[in-house]
Amino acid sequence: MTTEPAKPRSSRRNFLKVAGLAGAGAIAMPQVSRAQTVTWKYQSTWPTKDIFHEFAGDFAKRVNEMSGGRLKMDVLAAGAVVPAFQMQDAVAAGILDAGHGVCAYWYGKNKAFSLFGTPPSLGWDAHSFLAWMNYGGGYDLYNELVQQQLKLNLVGFLTGPMPCQPLGWFKKELKTADDFKGLKYRTVGLAADLMREMGAAVTILAGGEIVPALERGVIDGAEFNNPSSDSLLGFQDVAKVFMLQSYHQAAESFEIIFNKTKFDALSPELKAIVKYAAESASSDMLWKALDRYSKDLEMLRGKGVNVVQTPEAILKSQLAAWDKVLEKLSAENAFFKKVVESQKAWVKRSVGFERINTPSRELAYTHFFKA
């Protein structure tokens, strides 16, 4: 009678032994997977010290940490492998695996490209623009342009809502729209068409080339993006008038692109990590930008820079110029027209809601900070 109870004890021991081995295997499998890492060359279009390059690194940090090292983004600055304006071609060809830039840099291939980076100032901001990308059909149109019309071997994510860009840096303050006539001015993307419509002689330069050109008198004025980036480039050393507010680039965002062949080869989990890292970095970028840009604007004031608001007369002239640019380019390019109509429909509905729903920030700010 004493032998009967021993059998179940032996069975339990065997079961626990087998279960333990199975459990160990279940734990070991992910460890084997995680040991198989992929390192991607990821180049920005920005100089090492630029806050934009920092933003590019913030995205990479999220991917590296969330993937547990299975996908490692090796962050490189502009020129490390190819010049800034050659980054897109290098990613499509597989010379680079990924890149960080702005859509406006590629508008030479199709002017509609700039609609996904520096869209017309329809009364929206970059938050609303990214909402259109995700919920208003923007990504369908972006993918149609990239993969069907231009047949580029790329996958892209738009991220990082930029605050409205300043009109730029000048040797003397601009008072009226006539001051743009004959002005040698640097900008990129659709803003180049806009400023030409206003009479400016536009030159398209990479970030690192702008200040030397302004110093030598090759250009009379220029915009890059924000107080932090502009101060690092040294604008304050060659010009003392910094004009804020403009409709030339009021709703811009960054673009992160990947070689499509390599991206498609990722596991579904890693693809999701890349997508959600872009969305996470998008919010963090704006939080950081509001902190740093405001601090650096005060720093520029302390260095004798005259910070002025762009006169309303110039702003109204920009909007009138947008009318002509959009009409002209829509007549020339059916896809361009298709994108603009989608954007206008989104803005009319969504910003229409915001206008009646959101109280005036100006009214509240002046109430508490009258000085």
Side-chain angles (χ1 to χ4, degrees), residues 71-280:
L71 175 59
K72 180 182 178 183
M73 309 287 288
D74 184 14
V75 185
L76 306 168
V81 178
V82 296
F85 287 170
Q86 295 178 23
M87 184 270 285
Q88 187 194 65
D89 289 336
V91 174
I95 297 169
L96 291 168
D97 303 303
H100 185 281
V102 289
C103 291
Y105 281 179
W106 326 126
Y107 104 130
K109 295 182 177 180
N110 187 317
K111 290 195 175 183
F113 234 128
S114 195
L115 293 171
F116 298 99
T118 55
S121 295
L122 304 172
W124 58 353
D125 61 11
H127 281 290
S128 183
F129 164 72
L130 288 174
W132 169 76
M133 283 297 301
N134 285 277
Y135 291 99
Y139 268 117
D140 291 336
L141 292 166
Y142 173 84
N143 291 330
E144 180 181 344
L145 174 64
V146 172
Q147 295 166 15
Q148 296 178 31
Q149 295 211 16
L150 297 178
K151 302 190 185 305
L152 298 171
N153 188 33
L154 297 173
V155 171
F157 298 93
L158 297 194
T159 179
M162 298 186 199
C164 177
Q165 294 187 33
L167 184 64
W169 294 82
F170 306 91
K171 299 292 179 67
K172 62 179 183 178
E173 186 177 341
L174 307 184
K175 299 292 182 71
T176 71
D178 287 340
D179 291 335
F180 270 96
K181 289 180 170 53
L183 186 81
K184 293 177 289 185
Y185 182 80
R186 180 273 176 193
T187 189
V188 294
L190 281 174
D193 296 84
L194 182 76
M195 295 307 187
R196 287 189 186 109
E197 183 62 39
M198 293 184 68
V202 176
T203 299
I204 297 175
L205 299 169
E209 301 172 13
I210 306 171
V211 169
L214 191 57
E215 184 174 26
R216 297 195 309 270
V218 176
I219 55 176
D220 304 313
E223 61 82 33
F224 183 65
N225 194 277
N226 64 80
S228 299
S229 295
D230 291 2
S231 62
L232 284 170
L233 288 173
F235 275 94
Q236 68 276 10
D237 298 328
V238 298
K240 291 299 182 184
V241 177
F242 188 29
M243 299 187 68
L244 302 186
Q245 297 189 4
S246 179
Y247 283 127
H248 77 287
Q249 289 172 334
E252 188 173 9
S253 76
F254 294 102
E255 179 194 39
I256 304 175
I257 57 175
F258 299 86
N259 178 275
K260 187 174 186 300
T261 301
K262 295 179 181 179
F263 183 85
D264 288 347
L266 293 176
S267 67
E269 180 189 9
L270 289 180
K271 287 178 183 175
I273 285 173
V274 170
K275 180 181 188 298
Y276 297 134
E279 293 179 358
S280 168

